Amino acid sequence: MKAIVYTKYGGPEVLQIKEVEKPYPKDNEVLIKVYAVSINDWDWGLLQGIPFINRLLYGLLIPRKKILGSDIAGRIEAVGKNVKQFRPGDEVYGDLSGKWGGFAGYVCARENALALKPASMSFDEAAAIPQAAMLAIQGLRDTGQIQPGQKLLINGAGGGVGTFAVQIAKLYGVEVTGVDSSGKLDMLRSMGFDHVIDYTQEDFTKNGQCYDLILDVKTNRSIFDYTCALCRNGIYVTVGGSMVRLLQALFLRPWISMISKKHIRIVVLKPNKDLAYMNELFEAGKVKPVIDGPYKLDEVPNAFRIFGKGDHKGKVVITM
Ligand SMILES: NC(=O)c1ccc[n+]([C@@H]2O[C@H](COP(=O)([O-])OP(=O)(O)OC[C@H]3O[C@@H](n4cnc5c(N)ncnc54)[C@H](OP(=O)(O)O)[C@@H]3O)[C@@H](O)[C@H]2O)c1
């Protein structure tokens, strides 16, 4: 089968199309013919071997997992003898992070990493959903405890998480402000953001506005700046970003909530937990993935380049 392989850490130029052996499912796994895969921040970090924790986990000098790709959609071709939930022919999607291997013709996965794909959802749409939509749902609902009537700000609004988050937030009847670069603001307006801020022109932590809830996918500022932008009893939820800033948030949050009555929370992704809920929202026409692409297999290095520069809108999807 064809796969996108990397044997050393580096930029998109180290990704190569190669013929590799088709995997064989273990007793508790299914074999999936992959139709679409999307790029996540994790793929980008693993490609370069940053942050250093990725090297500790996945190979100090050379990557142990040679094929990236966690968010996949495809059709089950074979099932191991202990598999109960799925059968050959089922169309499925899910987040295989930790196992990876999605940038390939076939991949094996455990049942609990997969959900059935609704017939009305394309493979490209399904591949866009797993990580970004879970982070959006879990960040807003579980960690942020979003409430009707709130003022919400999404920082890094035009990428994968932000474009799901605004659609989910609107179901709660909140007023949403999106922060991103100028080239994405028209798209944000067309998606239903009530207000947009170009971060290159305006600093949302210093413009005199306050928000009940902030969902941040970048976390590149001091936690004190974010606290300034929260209303009393407001909640700042970080999905990810700079390691230094995340550690700052982790250690200072008890003190900040004690002194200021504002709350700092960190999302810990529960992969695939809410895929059934996403299926419901999709089938009801309430949420639709925003797709950048789809790109073809031989365009993968370029698709990574676009992702790395932050030029994408929504999710970068590759049709296999
Ligand atoms: N918590 C967990 O368990 C967990 C698990 C997996 C992933 N994650 C995290 O989830 C996040 C993934 O988010 P995503 O998929 O939405 O990323 P994304 O698709 O790369 O989107 C990020 C957006 O932020 C914009 N941006 C860049 N710099 C900015 C700034 N200074 N201020 C405001 N916006 C800025 C980018 O556009 P421009 O470049 O054009 O500005 C882009 O539109 C990452 O932080 C990742 O580490 C967390």
PDB file of all heavy atoms in Angstrom, residues 40-42 131-132 135 155-162 179-181 184 199 217-218 220 238-241 266-269 307 309-312 314-315, ligand 1:
ATOM      1  N   ASN A  40      -3.464  17.352  12.269  1.00  0.00           N
ATOM      2  CA  ASN A  40      -3.608  17.976  13.579  1.00  0.00           C
ATOM      3  C   ASN A  40      -2.281  18.568  14.023  1.00  0.00           C
ATOM      4  O   ASN A  40      -1.219  18.196  13.529  1.00  0.00           O
ATOM      5  CB  ASN A  40      -4.057  16.928  14.611  1.00  0.00           C
ATOM      6  CG  ASN A  40      -5.542  16.669  14.521  1.00  0.00           C
ATOM      7  OD1 ASN A  40      -6.346  17.572  14.681  1.00  0.00           O
ATOM      8  ND2 ASN A  40      -5.904  15.429  14.224  1.00  0.00           N
ATOM      9  N   ASP A  41      -2.387  19.445  15.033  1.00  0.00           N
ATOM     10  CA  ASP A  41      -1.197  20.053  15.631  1.00  0.00           C
ATOM     11  C   ASP A  41      -0.185  18.990  16.077  1.00  0.00           C
ATOM     12  O   ASP A  41       1.024  19.178  15.986  1.00  0.00           O
ATOM     13  CB  ASP A  41      -1.679  20.850  16.846  1.00  0.00           C
ATOM     14  CG  ASP A  41      -0.750  21.975  17.173  1.00  0.00           C
ATOM     15  OD1 ASP A  41      -0.442  22.756  16.260  1.00  0.00           O
ATOM     16  OD2 ASP A  41      -0.312  22.057  18.333  1.00  0.00           O
ATOM     17  N   TRP A  42      -0.697  17.870  16.545  1.00  0.00           N
ATOM     18  CA  TRP A  42       0.146  16.772  17.004  1.00  0.00           C
ATOM     19  C   TRP A  42       1.012  16.227  15.862  1.00  0.00           C
ATOM     20  O   TRP A  42       2.186  15.921  16.038  1.00  0.00           O
ATOM     21  CB  TRP A  42      -0.734  15.657  17.547  1.00  0.00           C
ATOM     22  CG  TRP A  42      -0.297  15.131  18.871  1.00  0.00           C
ATOM     23  CD1 TRP A  42       0.978  15.134  19.373  1.00  0.00           C
ATOM     24  CD2 TRP A  42      -1.128  14.529  19.864  1.00  0.00           C
ATOM     25  NE1 TRP A  42       0.982  14.555  20.617  1.00  0.00           N
ATOM     26  CE2 TRP A  42      -0.288  14.175  20.941  1.00  0.00           C
ATOM     27  CE3 TRP A  42      -2.483  14.241  19.945  1.00  0.00           C
ATOM     28  CZ2 TRP A  42      -0.776  13.554  22.088  1.00  0.00           C
ATOM     29  CZ3 TRP A  42      -2.959  13.617  21.084  1.00  0.00           C
ATOM     30  CH2 TRP A  42      -2.124  13.287  22.137  1.00  0.00           C
ATOM     31  N   GLN A 131     -10.428  15.086  16.518  1.00  0.00           N
ATOM     32  CA  GLN A 131      -9.741  15.817  17.582  1.00  0.00           C
ATOM     33  C   GLN A 131     -10.288  17.224  17.783  1.00  0.00           C
ATOM     34  O   GLN A 131     -10.559  17.646  18.902  1.00  0.00           O
ATOM     35  CB  GLN A 131      -8.245  15.895  17.273  1.00  0.00           C
ATOM     36  CG  GLN A 131      -7.425  15.182  18.308  1.00  0.00           C
ATOM     37  CD  GLN A 131      -5.958  15.195  17.973  1.00  0.00           C
ATOM     38  OE1 GLN A 131      -5.326  16.244  17.908  1.00  0.00           O
ATOM     39  NE2 GLN A 131      -5.411  14.023  17.752  1.00  0.00           N
ATOM     40  N   ALA A 132     -10.460  17.945  16.687  1.00  0.00           N
ATOM     41  CA  ALA A 132     -10.859  19.356  16.811  1.00  0.00           C
ATOM     42  C   ALA A 132     -12.262  19.487  17.414  1.00  0.00           C
ATOM     43  O   ALA A 132     -12.487  20.329  18.293  1.00  0.00           O
ATOM     44  CB  ALA A 132     -10.804  20.037  15.442  1.00  0.00           C
ATOM     45  N   LEU A 135     -12.207  18.621  21.142  1.00  0.00           N
ATOM     46  CA  LEU A 135     -11.624  19.701  21.947  1.00  0.00           C
ATOM     47  C   LEU A 135     -12.619  20.855  22.087  1.00  0.00           C
ATOM     48  O   LEU A 135     -12.731  21.469  23.144  1.00  0.00           O
ATOM     49  CB  LEU A 135     -10.320  20.192  21.313  1.00  0.00           C
ATOM     50  CG  LEU A 135      -9.129  19.236  21.442  1.00  0.00           C
ATOM     51  CD1 LEU A 135      -7.997  19.647  20.507  1.00  0.00           C
ATOM     52  CD2 LEU A 135      -8.622  19.180  22.887  1.00  0.00           C
ATOM     53  N   ASN A 155     -10.068  32.427  20.920  1.00  0.00           N
ATOM     54  CA  ASN A 155      -8.780  32.925  20.422  1.00  0.00           C
ATOM     55  C   ASN A 155      -8.146  31.856  19.532  1.00  0.00           C
ATOM     56  O   ASN A 155      -7.943  30.723  19.970  1.00  0.00           O
ATOM     57  CB  ASN A 155      -7.865  33.255  21.608  1.00  0.00           C
ATOM     58  CG  ASN A 155      -6.628  33.995  21.165  1.00  0.00           C
ATOM     59  OD1 ASN A 155      -6.696  34.846  20.253  1.00  0.00           O
ATOM     60  ND2 ASN A 155      -5.493  33.702  21.770  1.00  0.00           N
ATOM     61  N   GLY A 156      -7.835  32.220  18.277  1.00  0.00           N
ATOM     62  CA  GLY A 156      -7.400  31.227  17.293  1.00  0.00           C
ATOM     63  C   GLY A 156      -8.631  30.626  16.640  1.00  0.00           C
ATOM     64  O   GLY A 156      -8.738  29.408  16.449  1.00  0.00           O
ATOM     65  N   ALA A 157      -9.576  31.531  16.276  1.00  0.00           N
ATOM     66  CA  ALA A 157     -10.932  31.101  15.906  1.00  0.00           C
ATOM     67  C   ALA A 157     -11.050  30.437  14.539  1.00  0.00           C
ATOM     68  O   ALA A 157     -11.998  29.710  14.281  1.00  0.00           O
ATOM     69  CB  ALA A 157     -11.866  32.319  15.954  1.00  0.00           C
ATOM     70  N   GLY A 158     -10.086  30.675  13.648  1.00  0.00           N
ATOM     71  CA  GLY A 158     -10.262  30.226  12.261  1.00  0.00           C
ATOM     72  C   GLY A 158      -9.709  28.851  11.945  1.00  0.00           C
ATOM     73  O   GLY A 158      -9.791  28.384  10.814  1.00  0.00           O
ATOM     74  N   GLY A 159      -9.154  28.167  12.948  1.00  0.00           N
ATOM     75  CA  GLY A 159      -8.584  26.840  12.698  1.00  0.00           C
ATOM     76  C   GLY A 159      -9.593  25.732  12.986  1.00  0.00           C
ATOM     77  O   GLY A 159     -10.803  25.956  12.985  1.00  0.00           O
ATOM     78  N   GLY A 160      -9.059  24.536  13.248  1.00  0.00           N
ATOM     79  CA  GLY A 160      -9.929  23.377  13.442  1.00  0.00           C
ATOM     80  C   GLY A 160     -10.862  23.530  14.620  1.00  0.00           C
ATOM     81  O   GLY A 160     -12.090  23.421  14.490  1.00  0.00           O
ATOM     82  N   VAL A 161     -10.316  23.794  15.793  1.00  0.00           N
ATOM     83  CA  VAL A 161     -11.140  23.850  17.004  1.00  0.00           C
ATOM     84  C   VAL A 161     -12.115  25.032  16.941  1.00  0.00           C
ATOM     85  O   VAL A 161     -13.310  24.885  17.221  1.00  0.00           O
ATOM     86  CB  VAL A 161     -10.240  23.958  18.267  1.00  0.00           C
ATOM     87  CG1 VAL A 161     -11.091  24.119  19.516  1.00  0.00           C
ATOM     88  CG2 VAL A 161      -9.342  22.729  18.385  1.00  0.00           C
ATOM     89  N   GLY A 162     -11.601  26.196  16.537  1.00  0.00           N
ATOM     90  CA  GLY A 162     -12.434  27.407  16.540  1.00  0.00           C
ATOM     91  C   GLY A 162     -13.653  27.299  15.644  1.00  0.00           C
ATOM     92  O   GLY A 162     -14.744  27.748  16.008  1.00  0.00           O
ATOM     93  N   VAL A 179     -11.099  35.698  17.418  1.00  0.00           N
ATOM     94  CA  VAL A 179      -9.816  36.383  17.222  1.00  0.00           C
ATOM     95  C   VAL A 179      -8.949  35.552  16.287  1.00  0.00           C
ATOM     96  O   VAL A 179      -8.729  34.364  16.537  1.00  0.00           O
ATOM     97  CB  VAL A 179      -9.075  36.576  18.571  1.00  0.00           C
ATOM     98  CG1 VAL A 179      -7.783  37.350  18.357  1.00  0.00           C
ATOM     99  CG2 VAL A 179      -9.966  37.255  19.587  1.00  0.00           C
ATOM    100  N   ASP A 180      -8.512  36.170  15.211  1.00  0.00           N
ATOM    101  CA  ASP A 180      -7.589  35.479  14.288  1.00  0.00           C
ATOM    102  C   ASP A 180      -6.946  36.533  13.390  1.00  0.00           C
ATOM    103  O   ASP A 180      -7.116  37.734  13.613  1.00  0.00           O
ATOM    104  CB  ASP A 180      -8.317  34.394  13.479  1.00  0.00           C
ATOM    105  CG  ASP A 180      -7.380  33.215  13.172  1.00  0.00           C
ATOM    106  OD1 ASP A 180      -6.314  33.451  12.569  1.00  0.00           O
ATOM    107  OD2 ASP A 180      -7.700  32.081  13.531  1.00  0.00           O
ATOM    108  N   SER A 181      -6.209  36.078  12.367  1.00  0.00           N
ATOM    109  CA  SER A 181      -5.530  37.033  11.485  1.00  0.00           C
ATOM    110  C   SER A 181      -6.516  37.579  10.444  1.00  0.00           C
ATOM    111  O   SER A 181      -7.577  36.987  10.212  1.00  0.00           O
ATOM    112  CB  SER A 181      -4.328  36.385  10.810  1.00  0.00           C
ATOM    113  OG  SER A 181      -4.721  35.199  10.177  1.00  0.00           O
ATOM    114  N   LYS A 184      -8.714  35.703   7.728  1.00  0.00           N
ATOM    115  CA  LYS A 184      -9.746  34.731   8.122  1.00  0.00           C
ATOM    116  C   LYS A 184     -11.017  35.390   8.646  1.00  0.00           C
ATOM    117  O   LYS A 184     -12.002  34.708   8.929  1.00  0.00           O
ATOM    118  CB  LYS A 184      -9.179  33.789   9.184  1.00  0.00           C
ATOM    119  CG  LYS A 184      -8.026  32.984   8.632  1.00  0.00           C
ATOM    120  CD  LYS A 184      -7.474  31.964   9.570  1.00  0.00           C
ATOM    121  CE  LYS A 184      -6.255  31.333   8.907  1.00  0.00           C
ATOM    122  NZ  LYS A 184      -5.439  30.580   9.793  1.00  0.00           N
ATOM    123  N   TYR A 199      -5.924  39.921  15.430  1.00  0.00           N
ATOM    124  CA  TYR A 199      -4.956  39.996  16.533  1.00  0.00           C
ATOM    125  C   TYR A 199      -3.712  40.790  16.162  1.00  0.00           C
ATOM    126  O   TYR A 199      -2.949  41.204  17.038  1.00  0.00           O
ATOM    127  CB  TYR A 199      -4.598  38.605  17.070  1.00  0.00           C
ATOM    128  CG  TYR A 199      -3.759  37.736  16.152  1.00  0.00           C
ATOM    129  CD1 TYR A 199      -2.376  37.852  16.087  1.00  0.00           C
ATOM    130  CD2 TYR A 199      -4.359  36.763  15.359  1.00  0.00           C
ATOM    131  CE1 TYR A 199      -1.615  37.054  15.251  1.00  0.00           C
ATOM    132  CE2 TYR A 199      -3.606  35.950  14.528  1.00  0.00           C
ATOM    133  CZ  TYR A 199      -2.239  36.102  14.467  1.00  0.00           C
ATOM    134  OH  TYR A 199      -1.492  35.307  13.636  1.00  0.00           O
ATOM    135  N   VAL A 217      -6.971  28.437  21.789  1.00  0.00           N
ATOM    136  CA  VAL A 217      -6.203  27.334  21.195  1.00  0.00           C
ATOM    137  C   VAL A 217      -4.733  27.718  21.021  1.00  0.00           C
ATOM    138  O   VAL A 217      -3.935  26.886  20.614  1.00  0.00           O
ATOM    139  CB  VAL A 217      -6.779  26.855  19.833  1.00  0.00           C
ATOM    140  CG1 VAL A 217      -8.253  26.569  19.928  1.00  0.00           C
ATOM    141  CG2 VAL A 217      -6.486  27.813  18.712  1.00  0.00           C
ATOM    142  N   LYS A 218      -4.376  28.958  21.325  1.00  0.00           N
ATOM    143  CA  LYS A 218      -2.987  29.399  21.110  1.00  0.00           C
ATOM    144  C   LYS A 218      -2.200  29.555  22.419  1.00  0.00           C
ATOM    145  O   LYS A 218      -1.034  29.224  22.483  1.00  0.00           O
ATOM    146  CB  LYS A 218      -2.948  30.733  20.339  1.00  0.00           C
ATOM    147  CG  LYS A 218      -3.424  30.676  18.914  1.00  0.00           C
ATOM    148  CD  LYS A 218      -2.817  29.576  18.090  1.00  0.00           C
ATOM    149  CE  LYS A 218      -1.365  29.733  17.747  1.00  0.00           C
ATOM    150  NZ  LYS A 218      -0.893  28.646  16.850  1.00  0.00           N
ATOM    151  N   ASN A 220      -0.530  31.916  24.023  1.00  0.00           N
ATOM    152  CA  ASN A 220       0.826  32.422  23.787  1.00  0.00           C
ATOM    153  C   ASN A 220       1.099  33.691  24.588  1.00  0.00           C
ATOM    154  O   ASN A 220       2.071  34.374  24.369  1.00  0.00           O
ATOM    155  CB  ASN A 220       1.025  32.697  22.286  1.00  0.00           C
ATOM    156  CG  ASN A 220      -0.035  33.619  21.746  1.00  0.00           C
ATOM    157  OD1 ASN A 220      -1.003  33.916  22.439  1.00  0.00           O
ATOM    158  ND2 ASN A 220       0.128  34.079  20.521  1.00  0.00           N
ATOM    159  N   THR A 238      -7.918  26.897  28.394  1.00  0.00           N
ATOM    160  CA  THR A 238      -6.898  26.705  27.366  1.00  0.00           C
ATOM    161  C   THR A 238      -6.993  25.286  26.807  1.00  0.00           C
ATOM    162  O   THR A 238      -7.074  24.303  27.546  1.00  0.00           O
ATOM    163  CB  THR A 238      -5.471  26.997  27.866  1.00  0.00           C
ATOM    164  OG1 THR A 238      -4.554  26.501  26.873  1.00  0.00           O
ATOM    165  CG2 THR A 238      -5.150  26.360  29.204  1.00  0.00           C
ATOM    166  N   VAL A 239      -6.971  25.245  25.475  1.00  0.00           N
ATOM    167  CA  VAL A 239      -6.985  23.963  24.770  1.00  0.00           C
ATOM    168  C   VAL A 239      -5.546  23.504  24.530  1.00  0.00           C
ATOM    169  O   VAL A 239      -5.240  22.320  24.496  1.00  0.00           O
ATOM    170  CB  VAL A 239      -7.736  24.138  23.426  1.00  0.00           C
ATOM    171  CG1 VAL A 239      -7.522  22.969  22.514  1.00  0.00           C
ATOM    172  CG2 VAL A 239      -9.217  24.344  23.680  1.00  0.00           C
ATOM    173  N   GLY A 240      -4.646  24.455  24.363  1.00  0.00           N
ATOM    174  CA  GLY A 240      -3.246  24.124  24.106  1.00  0.00           C
ATOM    175  C   GLY A 240      -2.502  25.365  23.675  1.00  0.00           C
ATOM    176  O   GLY A 240      -3.090  26.434  23.534  1.00  0.00           O
ATOM    177  N   GLY A 241      -1.186  25.219  23.485  1.00  0.00           N
ATOM    178  CA  GLY A 241      -0.387  26.355  23.055  1.00  0.00           C
ATOM    179  C   GLY A 241       1.022  26.237  23.586  1.00  0.00           C
ATOM    180  O   GLY A 241       1.544  25.133  23.702  1.00  0.00           O
ATOM    181  N   ILE A 266      -7.729  23.932  32.154  1.00  0.00           N
ATOM    182  CA  ILE A 266      -6.986  23.314  31.037  1.00  0.00           C
ATOM    183  C   ILE A 266      -7.765  22.104  30.535  1.00  0.00           C
ATOM    184  O   ILE A 266      -8.182  21.260  31.339  1.00  0.00           O
ATOM    185  CB  ILE A 266      -5.573  22.887  31.518  1.00  0.00           C
ATOM    186  CG1 ILE A 266      -4.812  24.120  32.030  1.00  0.00           C
ATOM    187  CG2 ILE A 266      -4.804  22.186  30.406  1.00  0.00           C
ATOM    188  CD1 ILE A 266      -3.472  23.827  32.674  1.00  0.00           C
ATOM    189  N   VAL A 267      -7.969  22.037  29.229  1.00  0.00           N
ATOM    190  CA  VAL A 267      -8.707  20.900  28.649  1.00  0.00           C
ATOM    191  C   VAL A 267      -7.774  19.697  28.536  1.00  0.00           C
ATOM    192  O   VAL A 267      -6.668  19.810  28.014  1.00  0.00           O
ATOM    193  CB  VAL A 267      -9.222  21.238  27.233  1.00  0.00           C
ATOM    194  CG1 VAL A 267      -9.930  20.037  26.614  1.00  0.00           C
ATOM    195  CG2 VAL A 267     -10.141  22.440  27.265  1.00  0.00           C
ATOM    196  N   VAL A 268      -8.238  18.577  29.031  1.00  0.00           N
ATOM    197  CA  VAL A 268      -7.519  17.313  28.785  1.00  0.00           C
ATOM    198  C   VAL A 268      -8.416  16.502  27.847  1.00  0.00           C
ATOM    199  O   VAL A 268      -9.501  16.069  28.230  1.00  0.00           O
ATOM    200  CB  VAL A 268      -7.253  16.555  30.105  1.00  0.00           C
ATOM    201  CG1 VAL A 268      -6.530  15.243  29.819  1.00  0.00           C
ATOM    202  CG2 VAL A 268      -6.444  17.421  31.060  1.00  0.00           C
ATOM    203  N   LEU A 269      -7.947  16.359  26.613  1.00  0.00           N
ATOM    204  CA  LEU A 269      -8.764  15.712  25.581  1.00  0.00           C
ATOM    205  C   LEU A 269      -9.143  14.286  25.967  1.00  0.00           C
ATOM    206  O   LEU A 269      -8.290  13.490  26.358  1.00  0.00           O
ATOM    207  CB  LEU A 269      -7.971  15.692  24.265  1.00  0.00           C
ATOM    208  CG  LEU A 269      -8.565  14.898  23.116  1.00  0.00           C
ATOM    209  CD1 LEU A 269      -9.844  15.549  22.598  1.00  0.00           C
ATOM    210  CD2 LEU A 269      -7.557  14.769  21.974  1.00  0.00           C
ATOM    211  N   PHE A 307      -0.479  24.106   6.725  1.00  0.00           N
ATOM    212  CA  PHE A 307      -0.870  23.968   8.129  1.00  0.00           C
ATOM    213  C   PHE A 307       0.159  24.645   9.040  1.00  0.00           C
ATOM    214  O   PHE A 307      -0.187  25.382   9.959  1.00  0.00           O
ATOM    215  CB  PHE A 307      -1.004  22.481   8.487  1.00  0.00           C
ATOM    216  CG  PHE A 307      -1.451  22.258   9.903  1.00  0.00           C
ATOM    217  CD1 PHE A 307      -2.799  22.242  10.230  1.00  0.00           C
ATOM    218  CD2 PHE A 307      -0.526  22.094  10.931  1.00  0.00           C
ATOM    219  CE1 PHE A 307      -3.220  22.064  11.537  1.00  0.00           C
ATOM    220  CE2 PHE A 307      -0.933  21.918  12.243  1.00  0.00           C
ATOM    221  CZ  PHE A 307      -2.282  21.895  12.548  1.00  0.00           C
ATOM    222  N   LYS A 309       2.216  27.025   8.452  1.00  0.00           N
ATOM    223  CA  LYS A 309       2.235  28.497   8.379  1.00  0.00           C
ATOM    224  C   LYS A 309       0.964  29.093   8.988  1.00  0.00           C
ATOM    225  O   LYS A 309       0.862  30.304   9.151  1.00  0.00           O
ATOM    226  CB  LYS A 309       2.353  28.937   6.910  1.00  0.00           C
ATOM    227  CG  LYS A 309       3.792  28.828   6.394  1.00  0.00           C
ATOM    228  CD  LYS A 309       3.995  29.668   5.146  1.00  0.00           C
ATOM    229  CE  LYS A 309       3.637  28.854   3.926  1.00  0.00           C
ATOM    230  NZ  LYS A 309       3.616  29.540   2.668  1.00  0.00           N
ATOM    231  N   GLY A 310      -0.009  28.247   9.281  1.00  0.00           N
ATOM    232  CA  GLY A 310      -1.284  28.742   9.820  1.00  0.00           C
ATOM    233  C   GLY A 310      -2.159  29.352   8.739  1.00  0.00           C
ATOM    234  O   GLY A 310      -3.092  30.097   9.025  1.00  0.00           O
ATOM    235  N   ASP A 311      -1.885  29.033   7.474  1.00  0.00           N
ATOM    236  CA  ASP A 311      -2.659  29.635   6.373  1.00  0.00           C
ATOM    237  C   ASP A 311      -4.001  28.943   6.140  1.00  0.00           C
ATOM    238  O   ASP A 311      -4.809  29.418   5.355  1.00  0.00           O
ATOM    239  CB  ASP A 311      -1.852  29.551   5.060  1.00  0.00           C
ATOM    240  CG  ASP A 311      -0.730  30.579   5.042  1.00  0.00           C
ATOM    241  OD1 ASP A 311      -0.725  31.450   5.943  1.00  0.00           O
ATOM    242  OD2 ASP A 311       0.144  30.496   4.156  1.00  0.00           O
ATOM    243  N   HIS A 312      -4.207  27.809   6.793  1.00  0.00           N
ATOM    244  CA  HIS A 312      -5.437  27.043   6.544  1.00  0.00           C
ATOM    245  C   HIS A 312      -6.643  27.673   7.229  1.00  0.00           C
ATOM    246  O   HIS A 312      -6.509  28.420   8.196  1.00  0.00           O
ATOM    247  CB  HIS A 312      -5.260  25.614   7.049  1.00  0.00           C
ATOM    248  CG  HIS A 312      -4.981  25.549   8.534  1.00  0.00           C
ATOM    249  ND1 HIS A 312      -3.788  25.967   9.086  1.00  0.00           N
ATOM    250  CD2 HIS A 312      -5.747  25.141   9.571  1.00  0.00           C
ATOM    251  CE1 HIS A 312      -3.842  25.810  10.398  1.00  0.00           C
ATOM    252  NE2 HIS A 312      -5.027  25.310  10.718  1.00  0.00           N
ATOM    253  N   GLY A 314     -10.169  26.249   8.996  1.00  0.00           N
ATOM    254  CA  GLY A 314     -10.803  25.013   9.452  1.00  0.00           C
ATOM    255  C   GLY A 314      -9.783  23.895   9.497  1.00  0.00           C
ATOM    256  O   GLY A 314      -8.662  24.072   9.962  1.00  0.00           O
ATOM    257  N   LYS A 315     -10.164  22.731   8.951  1.00  0.00           N
ATOM    258  CA  LYS A 315      -9.315  21.539   9.018  1.00  0.00           C
ATOM    259  C   LYS A 315      -8.707  21.215   7.664  1.00  0.00           C
ATOM    260  O   LYS A 315      -9.409  21.146   6.657  1.00  0.00           O
ATOM    261  CB  LYS A 315     -10.169  20.340   9.437  1.00  0.00           C
ATOM    262  CG  LYS A 315     -10.617  20.347  10.870  1.00  0.00           C
ATOM    263  CD  LYS A 315      -9.499  20.112  11.861  1.00  0.00           C
ATOM    264  CE  LYS A 315      -8.804  18.795  11.650  1.00  0.00           C
ATOM    265  NZ  LYS A 315      -7.662  18.623  12.559  1.00  0.00           N
TER     266      LYS A 315
HETATM  267  N1  LIG B   1      -5.667  19.656  25.499  1.00  0.00           N
HETATM  268  C1  LIG B   1      -5.403  18.549  24.816  1.00  0.00           C
HETATM  269  O1  LIG B   1      -5.507  17.432  25.346  1.00  0.00           O
HETATM  270  C2  LIG B   1      -5.019  18.664  23.394  1.00  0.00           C
HETATM  271  C3  LIG B   1      -4.928  17.556  22.545  1.00  0.00           C
HETATM  272  C4  LIG B   1      -4.613  17.744  21.197  1.00  0.00           C
HETATM  273  C5  LIG B   1      -4.365  19.028  20.721  1.00  0.00           C
HETATM  274  N2  LIG B   1      -4.433  20.078  21.584  1.00  0.00           N
HETATM  275  C6  LIG B   1      -4.206  21.475  21.160  1.00  0.00           C
HETATM  276  O2  LIG B   1      -5.291  21.882  20.372  1.00  0.00           O
HETATM  277  C7  LIG B   1      -4.887  23.015  19.591  1.00  0.00           C
HETATM  278  C8  LIG B   1      -5.304  22.782  18.145  1.00  0.00           C
HETATM  279  O3  LIG B   1      -6.080  23.833  17.715  1.00  0.00           O
HETATM  280  P1  LIG B   1      -6.533  23.954  16.210  1.00  0.00           P
HETATM  281  O4  LIG B   1      -6.604  22.600  15.607  1.00  0.00           O
HETATM  282  O5  LIG B   1      -7.723  24.820  16.160  1.00  0.00           O
HETATM  283  O6  LIG B   1      -5.276  24.718  15.578  1.00  0.00           O
HETATM  284  P2  LIG B   1      -5.185  25.409  14.157  1.00  0.00           P
HETATM  285  O7  LIG B   1      -6.089  24.740  13.182  1.00  0.00           O
HETATM  286  O8  LIG B   1      -3.727  25.511  13.853  1.00  0.00           O
HETATM  287  O9  LIG B   1      -5.790  26.871  14.402  1.00  0.00           O
HETATM  288  C9  LIG B   1      -5.116  27.874  15.104  1.00  0.00           C
HETATM  289  C10 LIG B   1      -5.582  29.230  14.604  1.00  0.00           C
HETATM  290  O10 LIG B   1      -4.986  30.230  15.428  1.00  0.00           O
HETATM  291  C11 LIG B   1      -4.565  31.326  14.599  1.00  0.00           C
HETATM  292  N3  LIG B   1      -3.508  32.057  15.289  1.00  0.00           N
HETATM  293  C12 LIG B   1      -2.160  31.962  15.149  1.00  0.00           C
HETATM  294  N4  LIG B   1      -1.555  32.810  16.009  1.00  0.00           N
HETATM  295  C13 LIG B   1      -2.526  33.442  16.693  1.00  0.00           C
HETATM  296  C14 LIG B   1      -2.525  34.427  17.713  1.00  0.00           C
HETATM  297  N5  LIG B   1      -1.395  34.939  18.205  1.00  0.00           N
HETATM  298  N6  LIG B   1      -3.702  34.856  18.196  1.00  0.00           N
HETATM  299  C15 LIG B   1      -4.869  34.369  17.715  1.00  0.00           C
HETATM  300  N7  LIG B   1      -4.950  33.434  16.739  1.00  0.00           N
HETATM  301  C16 LIG B   1      -3.781  32.968  16.252  1.00  0.00           C
HETATM  302  C17 LIG B   1      -4.119  30.622  13.309  1.00  0.00           C
HETATM  303  O11 LIG B   1      -4.211  31.501  12.197  1.00  0.00           O
HETATM  304  P3  LIG B   1      -3.013  32.462  11.689  1.00  0.00           P
HETATM  305  O12 LIG B   1      -1.757  31.640  11.744  1.00  0.00           O
HETATM  306  O13 LIG B   1      -3.444  32.878  10.311  1.00  0.00           O
HETATM  307  O14 LIG B   1      -2.970  33.585  12.624  1.00  0.00           O
HETATM  308  C18 LIG B   1      -5.184  29.530  13.179  1.00  0.00           C
HETATM  309  O15 LIG B   1      -6.305  29.987  12.455  1.00  0.00           O
HETATM  310  C19 LIG B   1      -3.377  23.128  19.728  1.00  0.00           C
HETATM  311  O16 LIG B   1      -3.078  24.138  20.648  1.00  0.00           O
HETATM  312  C20 LIG B   1      -2.998  21.758  20.296  1.00  0.00           C
HETATM  313  O17 LIG B   1      -1.827  21.800  21.042  1.00  0.00           O
HETATM  314  C21 LIG B   1      -4.761  19.915  22.882  1.00  0.00           C
END
